[in-house]
Amino acid sequence: MALAFRHTDGTGLADILDTLAQYNLSALFFLPPDAIGDNAALIRCMVGAGHAIGLSVVGGPASDAVSLLSEGNRLLELAAHINTHTVLVENKDED
């Protein structure tokens, strides 16, 4: 079984992490680049607990997506000394 979570603002992450720890499970979390800076300590905890971090970006021109991914990886490097190659490209017409 594989678990993946998509978060747009980072809220509720602590509760999800507590539940995963209770059942000794790990998961993949997709976060938009702008949610990384405000959740740096939580991201370090996530990585330390064995969870994977991916980036979530809204679809659009490829140059915009590449720019967002680059910024996301820069923020992940600052927050937890990691980079990711896992990306969720979302349809910009959907919530």
Side-chain angles (χ1 to χ4, degrees), residues 9-65:
D9 61 5
T11 60
L13 285 175
D15 292 335
I16 292 170
L17 291 171
D18 289 343
T19 301
L20 291 170
Q22 180 181 357
Y23 292 98
N24 196 30
L25 296 172
S26 60
L28 167 61
F29 290 87
F30 288 103
L31 299 169
D34 61 356
I36 294 170
D38 293 338
N39 294 290
L42 195 54
I43 289 170
R44 284 190 295 277
C45 290
M46 293 164 76
V47 172
H51 302 293
I53 307 295
L55 294 171
S56 171
V57 297
V58 176
S63 61
D64 291 350

